[in-house]
């Protein structure tokens, strides 16, 4: 199924010092408007008995969706007289209830529109009630021997997504396949200019990350690598002035091999940023062989004021 998606977003960021001197609050509130059009629906989904394929006469679904997202982060820091720094971090996340449905959900919505009623309990407006959850909670200790985090830290990894689009619409956004948030031990340090990360959880799932950056003739070059069991990823980025270009590659062995390649370029001119990128996913299926899917993105962001940004993006 192919899709055209347009979206706009307004982002308000807040940051302040609250209560105790070492407690910092930060966060954002985002309003999002997404419009999508599905067409060329090629899959033959199972239909109730006696009903033909509605896509022969009803080829798609058009939808406008509003959503609100937000986050509030709490960071506490303190230090001993000997210079040992310690603290804690956790987040309060607002999960949007009225989000755009996935591909399967969109196809079910097409059935619902065709039949003139809800199909398999799918509604045009999936209001289930907003949820607020605590997330990313960990404590940390920083010293000359390195930085240690204990808790829901996210896995180690230095490879970064390089689509470089200010506002991504429907992108896989794979920077590293090791982006899971698990209760684990996370360690970071730097040796001879090379950043190193490692993490392990209580089931012995491990992850490693290596990063290096240098200025070469006025061009900032950054390299990143990520690795864990059955996964590897790498990225290369180059920037000069407001111009930035990058490419990244990732491979995962989970039953079958999946490869992911993304590249993009962006340019910042004062408060305005524009960018374009392309991502390709290659699935090595045991039966059907290699399957390719490419998606193209353009986006722009304009900062109206400190902490107030308007974004717009489009994707295929």
């Amino acid at each position: 199924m192919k899709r055209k998606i347009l979206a706009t977003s307004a982002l308000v960021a807040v940051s302040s010092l609250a209560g105790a001197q070492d407690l910092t609050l930060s966060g954002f509130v985002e309003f999002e408007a997404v419009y999508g059009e599905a067409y060329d629906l090629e899959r033959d989904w199972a239909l109730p008995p006696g009903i033909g394929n509605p896509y022969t006469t009803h080829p798609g679904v058009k939808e406008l969706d509003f959503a609100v997202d937000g986050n509030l982060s709490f960071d506490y820091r303190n230090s001993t007289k000997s210079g040992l720094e310690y603290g804690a971090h956790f987040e309060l996340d607002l999960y949007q209830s009225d989000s755009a449905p996935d591909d399967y959900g969109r196809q079910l919505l097409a059935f619902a529109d065709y039949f003139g009623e809800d199909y398999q309990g799918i509604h045009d407006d999936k209001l289930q009630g907003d949820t607020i959850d605590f997330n990313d909670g960990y404590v940390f200790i920083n010293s000359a021997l390195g930085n240690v985090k204990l808790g829901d830290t996210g896995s180690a990894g230095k490879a970064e997504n390089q689509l470089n689009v200010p506002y991504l619409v429907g992108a896989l956004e794979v920077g590293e396949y090791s982006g899971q948030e698990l209760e684990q031990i996370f360690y970071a340090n730097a040796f001879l200019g090379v950043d190193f990360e490692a993490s392990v959880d209580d089931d012995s799932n491990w992850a490693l990350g290596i990063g290096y950056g240098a200025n070469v003739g006025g061009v900032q070059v950054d390299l990143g690598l990520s690795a864990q069991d059955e996964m590897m990823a790498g990225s290369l980025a180059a920037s000069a002035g407001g111009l930035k270009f990058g490419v990244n590659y990732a491979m995962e062995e989970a039953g079958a091999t999946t490869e992911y390649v993304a590249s993009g370029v962006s340019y910042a001119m004062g408060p305005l940023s524009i960018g374009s990128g392309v991502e390709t996913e290659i699935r090595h299926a045991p039966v059907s062989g290699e399957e390719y899917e490419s998606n193209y993105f353009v986006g722009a962001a304009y900062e109206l004021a400190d902490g107030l940004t308007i974004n717009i993006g489009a994707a295929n």
Side-chain angles (χ1 to χ4, degrees):
M1 184 182 74
K2 301 178 181 178
R3 289 181 296 173
K4 293 179 180 177
I5 302 178
L6 297 177
T8 61
S9 173
L11 177 67
V12 178
V14 295
S15 179
S16 64
L17 192 63
Q21 185 177 357
D22 297 314
L23 178 63
T24 301
L25 303 182
S26 61
F28 71 89
V29 175
E30 182 180 63
F31 173 79
E32 195 174 68
V34 180
Y35 171 77
E37 178 182 347
Y39 60 99
D40 291 346
L41 303 176
E42 300 170 353
R43 297 182 183 180
D44 185 15
W45 294 93
L47 296 173
I51 301 296
N53 192 327
Y55 298 131
T56 58
T57 56
H58 191 85
V61 56
K62 298 179 180 179
E63 180 180 354
L64 175 66
D65 187 83
F66 293 154
V68 177
D69 195 7
N71 167 277
L72 183 61
S73 296
F74 300 78
D75 289 278
Y76 172 77
R77 291 178 178 270
N78 209 336
S79 60
T80 65
K81 294 181 179 180
S82 61
L84 184 70
E85 185 183 43
Y86 62 94
H89 167 90
F90 69 90
E91 299 176 8
L92 190 61
D93 292 334
L94 168 67
Y95 292 93
Q96 58 193 35
S97 61
D98 188 16
S99 59
D102 57 17
D103 289 348
Y104 179 67
R106 287 185 183 278
Q107 301 213 25
L108 290 181
L109 286 175
F111 284 96
D113 193 16
Y114 175 80
F115 293 138
E117 58 185 1
D118 295 335
Y119 180 77
Q120 293 187 0
I122 302 297
H123 301 263
D124 283 355
D125 201 0
K126 302 189 304 177
L127 285 176
Q128 304 296 329
D130 294 324
T131 60
I132 299 178
D133 292 328
F134 286 102
N135 192 24
D136 294 344
Y138 61 82
V139 297
F140 65 86
I141 301 174
N142 299 333
S143 69
L145 299 178
N147 305 328
V148 177
K149 298 178 182 179
L150 308 171
D152 190 2
T153 65
S155 299
K158 300 297 287 187
E160 297 180 356
N161 189 287
Q162 294 297 326
L163 284 173
N164 291 315
V165 180
Y167 186 70
L168 286 169
V169 185
L172 295 178
E173 296 188 70
V174 178
E176 50 187 80
Y177 280 88
S178 58
Q180 297 180 359
E181 296 173 355
L182 304 169
E183 283 65 41
Q184 57 192 338
I185 300 174
F186 183 103
Y187 175 79
N189 208 339
F191 305 95
L192 301 176
V194 178
D195 295 323
F196 172 80
E197 294 179 350
S199 62
V200 62
D201 66 10
D202 52 6
D203 291 324
S204 299
N205 296 310
W206 57 270
L208 298 175
I210 299 175
Y212 178 76
N215 191 287
V216 182
V219 178
Q220 178 65 32
V221 178
D222 295 290
L223 301 173
L225 295 174
S226 302
Q228 64 175 246
D229 188 28
E230 299 183 334
M231 186 284 302
M232 63 167 291
S235 64
L236 167 65
S239 59
L243 183 65
K244 184 176 181 180
F245 168 80
V247 60
N248 75 306
Y249 168 85
M251 181 182 69
E252 185 179 32
E253 296 278 357
T257 301
T258 301
E259 297 177 275
Y260 171 87
V261 182
S263 63
V265 60
S266 64
Y267 187 68
M269 301 168 287
L272 175 65
S273 298
I274 58 176
S276 178
V278 57
E279 65 179 8
T280 299
E281 186 178 9
I282 308 170
R283 297 178 291 271
H284 301 269
V287 178
S288 57
E290 292 186 354
E291 298 177 350
Y292 295 82
E293 180 179 349
S294 294
N295 300 294
Y296 306 89
F297 308 89
V298 294
Y302 189 84
E303 187 176 20
L304 295 173
D306 186 20
L308 177 61
T309 305
I310 292 181
N311 307 277
I312 186 170
N316 68 317

